[in-house]
Amino acid sequence: MYDFVVVGAGPAGSRFARRAADAGYDVLVLERGEVGTPLACSGHVSTDIWEFTPDGARDHLLQNEIYGARFHVGGSRSSEHPFYKDEVISNVIDRVGLDKTLAHAARDAGADLREEHSVTEVDEHGKYVDVTANTPDGTETFRGKMVVGCDGPVSRVRRELGLPEPKEKLQGVLGFAPKAHGGNFVDVHLTAPKFFAWRIPRGDAGVEYGLAAPPGRSARSLFDEFTADYDVETNEFCAGMIPIGPASSVTAHRGFLLGDAAAQTKPFTGGGILYGMTSADHAVRTINPDDPGTLANYERAWRKDLKNEIRLGHWVRRAYSLPKPVQTAGLRTMSGEIGVHMDRPTSLFSTEHLRTLLRRT
């Protein structure tokens, strides 16, 4: 019997598996397809990403360094409002390569990683949990002391455990223009309903275009309008759901959720790579697979760490729906050099940011 059966080998699942295996636990990871596919997430991340990857990962994953963002209230020809630092703010990385790198690290740490294993059932019992999956050789059931749902926004584990859904799910779409681009600013357009559209230069890997929209609006149609405004055609089109707002509980009797399955994401961007891996570290530190009572420690730990960031992130997102004149006036007033961290909206009140604002006055 395994200590943990992890469902999903994305960043949160692989991070948990690696750290749990390093801690001496017997870990099984089930990935429904091939690790890293299909792509359903942007590769624009903060520089903190390298704290969670094996040594040397930056050398083969980094695609571009970003120094700031240009915000637009309208389309590509609208006025731009730049926010920037005189140092690298964020990185653009090979997103598929990240998944593979983290999964290999988990396997190297001793986790049993199995691809092409699609979970169909999760049954909790008093002292163990049974996880059934369709495999290349037929149906197989694996037994563990706990199951870890890291299987994304539309989580089978969440449904099987009877846990509540995230408060909101947006439709996210991505496409790529293959022509190399040497810019080091992203473009953010406050044109998608209740969210935004983006353009990210990926160096030799081309340019990424994307947006997210609430249910009831055709994200693909909005995306086509957005890329047409830039007069580009994209390939490698992909789509997925973006969960926003964690539910009141992400733990059951012998199971818990991590990453997108738990909606451990930034409400103002939808990104969840760093929040999910941070929560994975909390889970390894606080959960004892022999004692279901320790799941409460995990709930407290990750919420204490991310609560204020998520709460303030919701307030930042509300600005996306303000009237255009108000958005324009606000962006014009606030644009310029900044001292904020892209994963931590609380850094708006940091000493670094306040000092930066004072230098601008």
Side-chain angles (χ1 to χ4, degrees), residues 22-137:
D22 280 339
Y25 293 116
D26 195 4
V27 183
L28 171 67
V29 184
L30 304 177
E31 170 57 41
R32 67 177 180 179
E34 178 185 347
V35 171
T37 58
L39 174 67
C41 178
S42 175
H44 181 218
V45 296
S46 74
T47 55
D48 290 355
I49 189 71
W50 310 119
E51 298 175 14
F52 295 86
T53 58
D55 291 342
R58 187 179 187 277
D59 295 338
H60 65 270
L61 293 179
L62 180 66
Q63 294 179 330
N64 199 8
E65 294 181 321
I66 301 298
Y67 284 78
R70 294 181 292 254
F71 279 75
H72 308 257
V73 174
S76 63
R77 285 169 286 280
S78 64
S79 298
E80 58 185 49
H81 305 276
F83 293 76
Y84 59 87
K85 283 186 177 183
D86 60 1
E87 61 187 38
V88 175
I89 289 179
S90 57
N91 290 164
V92 182
I93 62 171
D94 175 355
R95 183 63 182 78
V96 172
L98 175 68
D99 279 15
K100 292 182 179 295
T101 297
L102 294 172
H104 289 161
R107 180 175 275 156
D108 290 344
D112 181 0
L113 173 62
R114 305 193 191 188
E115 298 176 283
E116 305 296 337
H117 280 59
S118 180
V119 170
T120 58
E121 293 181 47
V122 176
D123 295 307
E124 288 183 294
H125 302 280
K127 295 185 177 181
Y128 62 88
V129 59
D130 284 334
V131 181
T132 302
N134 290 330
T135 79
D137 299 319

Side-chain angles (χ1 to χ4, degrees), residues 194 267-268 311-323 327:
K194 297 186 179 181
F268 58 103
R311 181 179 296 166
L312 186 55
H314 281 293
W315 281 100
V316 172
R317 184 185 165 198
R318 291 181 183 183
Y320 304 162
S321 300
L322 293 173
Q327 290 178 334

